Amino acid sequence: MIHSFTCKNFYSFAGENTVNFQVNQKAPKNDGYFVTPSKTRLSKVETIIGPNASGKTNLLKILPLFKWLVINSFNANPDKPLPVKTFILAELKNEPIELSVNFEIETNIYTYNFKLSEEKILEETLFITNKTKEKVTTKKLFSREWNKKNNSYTFNGKNFELPKNFENLLRKNASIISTAMRLNHKTSQIIGNYWGKVETNVIEAGWIGDSLLPNAKRNLVEALFFYSENEKLKKEAEKLLSRFDLGLESFCITKEKNENGVTINVKATHFFEDKKLELPFQYESAGTKQLFIILKTILQVLATGGIAVLDEFDVNLHPEMIMELHKLFISPETNTKQAQMIFSSHSHQILGELDKYQIILTEKNKKGSSETWRLDEMTGVRADDNYYTKYIAGAYGAIPNIN
């Protein structure tokens, strides 16, 4: 369960900015919120709103980057730079990128901090906080810091029960957790398994559905391969597609081996006036294809209790469809494992379905730096406000300034 995450000197964000899922008792008592085993109230959904180029995608990159650092960084070539960029202006080019995330596994709350350059991990620390009725205790599990003078790391891992001489395995571009997972270190594997539940359509270059990015069309093929190997989630997708009244009832996926590898063929079953008609999937609408891709992420996260990080959530989808997908996370019937979602959208009608604790606004200041804030942090915002109307009217900022 994600409590919050923070960045500084990260892509378009020069200053420190935080996204917070945690809410107090003033937040409404409805199904949009839940209480964790540590007795912390969290929102199930956070929605990022703002004009184009305001920093929405960059904000969403933080959690996928953490997933890469925690799980996959050890797999990178030892000489490869980190997949991250500092703020574009020269004065911050030599300053570290700072990232932090607070997350909960069972009753333990972890705070994982990084300071990075584009070439190496400069600092890495992990704290654990445990809450009981009697007290709250926090302990540093490990830390490392790059020592320029010695051209090596100063390492402290005495509270993490790592193997002897573990510091000799440390690499500049691989996290401690990612490295320890390869040694079957129990706590590292628990943390790695949690971060494996983060599903996203965001990579370092941006939203993977962007037609300007290479291989963007492969996303649909990958989704269909996924459904072909996950019959249970395929049936869930068919059930939702039928409920959404797209005219599509089911889809049949077959795979064929040939000299070029494996090709996938898909036929969608439609019913028109009680007549069954099968159509090649290529003739489905762009919205239906996009829904297939989005549902792959959403259904995985709902099944595991993870977190979905989705950019351009509304592309090719009707606003009413966005609201129905949002309800999958809100409803206790469909979200039985307290899965979370954070997404960006230009479909501002969704604001009518959200509380002020679930709306994240972004915009760039006069210096070209992105800034973000949660709507409840603004003075004078009432719980009974019409957030959609006021946002469109410019009352909250974070709207395009067109001259």
Side-chain angles (χ1 to χ4, degrees), residues 237-286:
E238 289 176 332
K239 187 189 303 182
L240 288 169
L241 289 165
S242 176
R243 201 184 96 200
F244 291 157
D245 194 27
L246 299 172
L248 189 153
E249 292 292 324
S250 62
F251 53 100
C252 179
I253 303 173
T254 58
K255 292 185 286 189
E256 296 178 1
K257 291 184 178 180
N258 53 48
E259 57 184 15
N260 296 320
V262 178
T263 59
I264 190 163
N265 298 306
V266 186
K267 287 188 177 181
T269 301
H270 293 257
F271 282 92
F272 300 98
E273 296 182 349
D274 297 327
K275 293 181 181 179
K276 179 179 176 181
L277 179 65
E278 289 188 343
L279 293 174
F281 197 74
Q282 68 194 67
Y283 296 114
E284 297 298 324
S285 70

Side-chain angles (χ1 to χ4, degrees), residues 103-131:
F103 59 99
E104 182 174 339
I105 303 175
E106 296 178 349
T107 59
N108 295 317
I109 301 171
Y110 294 91
T111 301
Y112 206 165
N113 304 317
F114 284 96
K115 287 188 179 181
L116 313 168
S117 69
E118 295 179 12
E119 292 76 35
K120 66 171 73 75
I121 296 171
L122 300 172
E123 292 184 27
E124 181 181 2
T125 59
L126 180 66
F127 296 86
I128 185 171
T129 299
N130 186 266
K131 295 181 178 181

